[in-house]
Amino acid sequence: MKISEIYSQKKRSLSFEIFPPKKDSELKNIDATLEVLCQLKPDFISVTFGAGGSSNCNRTIELAKKIKYEYQVEPVVHLTCLTYNKKEIDAFSEVLTKEGIENILALRGDRNPDIPEKNDFKHAFQLMEYLGKKGDFCMAGACYPECHPESESRVSEIQHLKYKQDAGAKVLLSQLFFDNGLFFRFVEDCRIGGLTVPIIPGIMPVINAAQIKRMVTMCGASFPERFRKIIRKFEDNKEALFDAGMSYALSQIIDLLVSDIDGIHLYTMNNPAVAGKICEGIRNII
């Protein structure tokens, strides 16, 4: 099923992101996580994709197949393009078509000084345009409520998102953020700029201080003062940080849901306790 059907039915979505284990031998161990996630009946689960080699793609596809055929949940496969050429993208798209995987989150990918960039694709919308000619895929795009770290301005940011919509993106999944006011203003600016596709907020509960600081540094998300207090007070208390972080994420999600957004995309960090606790808190709201 193409995930665009969810939104054509005007249904609010619940989705998760997971990442494939680093070793093929560990794929079997992810079933414990999938058992919990799929019992929560998400509309789809996105599977991340690492740059720098076909083995990353293989693990992503194997996990996507497991989600689709063993758990009957629709997978969305991340696909980056900055370090791949058209021939390599052709090979990936052929495998996805063969395996019956219809949904792709098309991404440029992060720059990595250890992995040479190639010249066929410089932006995600170029990958979308290319994939649109290669197969019958439903494509999603990424967006940054506080602008991509390399963006020149909010205007150019929204223009690039418009390119993605024009290239075939049916939905935008947002990078993590901790200030709902910033997300609401971002969505308003997108609508003014001509974007009509659903814009789904991405939420990452704070359960590991070092990890969240690393993620925030990478994506440029800002720390509201209320969030800073949680980190300062509980960063050395693992259990307290988990509880406080989950409460903060739940308050974010509830505020988003009562504001009639199109869905929630939860960054699970492969931790089923995170998804379970969030879903328990919003079971009667979403």
Side-chain angles (χ1 to χ4, degrees):
M1 182 188 83
K2 292 182 172 65
I3 62 170
S4 55
E5 296 177 27
I6 299 168
Y7 307 104
S8 66
Q9 299 166 5
K10 296 186 177 179
K11 179 184 176 184
R12 180 181 279 168
S13 65
L14 172 65
S15 56
F16 303 132
E17 178 182 290
I18 64 174
F19 53 85
K22 292 183 178 181
K23 298 179 181 178
D24 288 334
S25 60
E26 296 173 353
L27 268 174
K28 64 184 74 173
N29 298 327
I30 203 162
D31 281 295
T33 296
L34 289 176
E35 288 283 351
V36 173
L37 296 183
C38 293
Q39 285 176 10
L40 298 169
K41 302 187 185 305
D43 293 287
F44 60 90
I45 296 176
S46 71
V47 186
T48 65
F49 180 93
S54 60
S55 62
N56 293 300
C57 178
N58 291 341
R59 286 193 287 271
T60 295
I61 291 173
E62 287 305 308
L63 184 50
K65 286 166 56 181
K66 179 184 282 285
I67 291 167
K68 185 177 180 74
Y69 296 113
E70 294 184 28
Y71 292 92
Q72 286 75 54
V73 174
E74 202 58 42
V76 175
V77 169
H78 294 214
L79 183 58
T80 62
C81 62
L82 192 63
T83 59
Y84 296 100
N85 58 33
K86 290 180 179 179
K87 184 176 180 181
E88 290 167 314
I89 293 297
D90 287 346
F92 296 151
S93 64
E94 287 170 10
V95 171
L96 293 174
T97 299
K98 178 183 176 182
E99 300 296 350
I101 296 171
E102 301 176 280
N103 300 292
I104 294 175
L105 176 57
L107 305 162
R108 187 198 70 175
D110 296 327
R111 299 190 189 280
N112 186 329
D114 298 323
I115 303 175
E117 297 176 13
K118 298 185 179 176
N119 296 318
D120 289 359
F121 306 98
K122 295 297 184 183
H123 301 284
F125 75 86
Q126 295 170 333
L127 175 61
M128 293 178 184
E129 290 173 339
Y130 189 74
L131 288 171
K133 301 172 185 176
K134 302 301 295 185
D136 186 24
F137 297 114
C138 177
M139 285 176 286
C143 61
Y144 287 70
E146 299 179 63
C147 286
H148 190 281
E150 297 177 25
S151 182
E152 295 177 3
S153 67
R154 174 60 68 94
V155 172
S156 65
E157 178 83 4
I158 292 174
Q159 183 61 63
H160 275 279
L161 293 178
K162 185 67 163 54
Y163 292 157
K164 291 182 182 182
Q165 178 176 279
D166 294 344
K170 301 302 183 185
V171 60
L172 296 174
L173 303 179
S174 96
Q175 185 54 270
L176 63 89
F177 61 93
F178 302 103
D179 184 337
N180 285 3
L182 294 173
F183 179 79
F184 294 138
R185 286 193 290 276
F186 168 71
V187 172
E188 183 179 359
D189 289 345
C190 285
R191 299 309 182 208
I192 292 171
L195 284 149
T196 58
V197 296
I199 301 173
I200 311 301
I203 302 297
M204 178 180 280
V206 184
I207 61 171
N208 180 305
Q211 180 183 46
I212 207 70
K213 288 177 181 177
R214 183 171 66 251
M215 287 296 298
V216 168
T217 300
M218 288 174 60
C219 72
S222 59
F223 286 97
E225 184 56 31
R226 188 162 68 97
F227 182 84
R228 291 176 184 272
K229 288 179 179 178
I230 289 175
I231 298 294
R232 284 197 298 263
K233 189 171 182 62
F234 300 120
E235 63 180 329
D236 296 322
N237 185 329
K238 184 178 179 180
E239 291 76 17
L241 179 58
F242 182 92
D243 289 343
M246 294 301 293
S247 295
Y248 188 94
L250 269 172
S251 69
Q252 267 194 282
I253 291 170
I254 291 170
D255 182 46
L256 290 162
L257 291 175
V258 299
S259 300
D260 294 327
I261 48 80
D262 295 307
I264 295 293
H265 188 61
L266 189 66
Y267 296 100
T268 70
M269 299 160 285
N270 286 24
N271 187 330
V274 168
K277 207 167 185 67
I278 291 290
C279 290
E280 180 182 345
I282 63 173
R283 192 178 306 278
N284 297 318
I285 301 174
I286 196 164

